[in-house]
């Protein structure tokens, strides 16, 4: 089976979670299968190996899983972008809109240096709010975001389109119609 087909088939769809009408795309089966997890990580390693980023930044929380392994494989540092109030040192924060309300993510002020080339990664792009906030944080500290990457794109929610319109190159492995 082709790698992307294997990845897509391994993602579990959970209907009506966390609320009625939502088709939740669950990546935990990807993580629990050593073979599929390796195939998944290899897709990103092959994409970014020659790009030679200075760091990989992962979005809280599933972006930490993929991002830290990718950083290890690329032999670069890992930068966690966390939900507000979870980091112990001086932080810079970015608030973004959710469907109902706002959320804030933070990053340590010394996590990147001006001119660092960073790959920003998460498990899924829905509305693009979290990834957009991560991009703005990194850029405020002078980093260049090489690309925003995710396993899954939900194109009907428009996040990838909005991110591209905001100047972020976006790469995803698979997409699912619907949300």
């Amino acid at each position: 089976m082709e790698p992307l087909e294997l990845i897509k088939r391994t993602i579990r769809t959970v209907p009506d979670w966390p609320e009625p009408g939502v088709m939740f795309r669950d990546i935990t089966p990807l993580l629990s299968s050593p073979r599929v997890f390796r195939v998944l990580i290899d897709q990103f390693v092959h994409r970014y190996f020659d790009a030679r980023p200075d760091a990989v930044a992962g979005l809280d929380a599933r972006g930490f899983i993929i991002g830290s392994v990718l950083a290890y494989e690329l032999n670069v540092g890992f930068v966690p972008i966390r939900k507000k109030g979870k980091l112990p040192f001086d932080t810079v924060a970015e608030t973004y809109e959710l469907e109902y309300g706002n959320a804030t993510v933070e990053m340590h002020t010394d996590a990147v240096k001006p001119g660092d080339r960073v790959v920003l990664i998460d498990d899924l792009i829905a509305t693009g709010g979290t990834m957009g906030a991560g991009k703005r944080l990194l850029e405020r500290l002078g980093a260049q975001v090489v690309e925003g990457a995710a396993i899954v794109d939900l194109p009907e929610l428009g996040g990838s389109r909005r991110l591209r319109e905001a100047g972020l190159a976006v790469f995803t492995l698979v997409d699912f119609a619907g949300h």
Side-chain angles (χ1 to χ4, degrees):
M1 186 180 308
E2 292 296 314
L4 298 182
E5 183 180 342
L6 176 64
I7 290 166
K8 189 168 186 173
R9 284 188 181 191
T10 306
I11 295 168
R12 176 175 34 221
T13 299
V14 181
D16 299 319
W17 197 88
E19 59 187 54
V22 174
M23 301 295 280
F24 186 81
R25 307 306 175 169
D26 180 12
I27 67 155
T28 57
L30 294 174
L31 306 176
S32 66
S33 167
R35 178 175 175 263
V36 181
F37 190 41
R38 181 169 298 279
V39 168
L40 170 72
I41 295 300
D42 284 351
Q43 295 303 302
F44 290 117
V45 169
H46 292 226
R47 175 137 184 114
Y48 298 113
F49 190 81
D50 290 332
R52 294 288 180 212
D54 298 299
V56 174
L59 293 159
D60 198 342
R62 290 177 294 269
F64 293 175
I65 300 165
I66 306 304
S68 60
V69 177
L70 177 60
Y72 173 81
E73 289 292 328
L74 295 176
N75 197 34
V76 300
F78 175 73
V79 176
I81 298 178
R82 303 238 26 211
K83 293 173 183 147
K84 184 178 179 168
K86 301 292 184 183
L87 291 171
F89 187 65
D90 295 334
T91 61
V92 59
E94 184 73 28
T95 299
Y96 60 99
E97 291 184 28
L98 298 170
E99 189 173 355
Y100 302 105
N102 296 319
T104 302
V105 289
E106 296 178 321
M107 182 175 70
H108 282 148
T109 55
D110 63 354
V112 294
K113 298 180 299 303
D116 279 354
R117 299 176 70 254
V118 181
V119 171
L120 178 59
I121 196 161
D122 204 357
D123 66 321
L124 181 138
I125 298 174
T127 64
T130 309
M131 188 165 285
K135 173 187 181 288
R136 291 187 299 276
L137 278 177
L138 289 159
E139 289 174 343
R140 280 172 53 196
L141 294 178
Q144 173 195 354
V145 181
V146 174
E147 195 163 59
I151 302 166
V152 175
D153 184 19
L154 302 178
E156 290 179 11
L157 296 179
S160 290
R161 177 185 46 78
R162 280 191 281 283
L163 291 166
R164 286 183 182 101
E165 288 170 356
L168 180 63
V170 175
F171 172 72
T172 57
L173 296 176
V174 300
D175 61 60
F176 284 91
H179 56 286

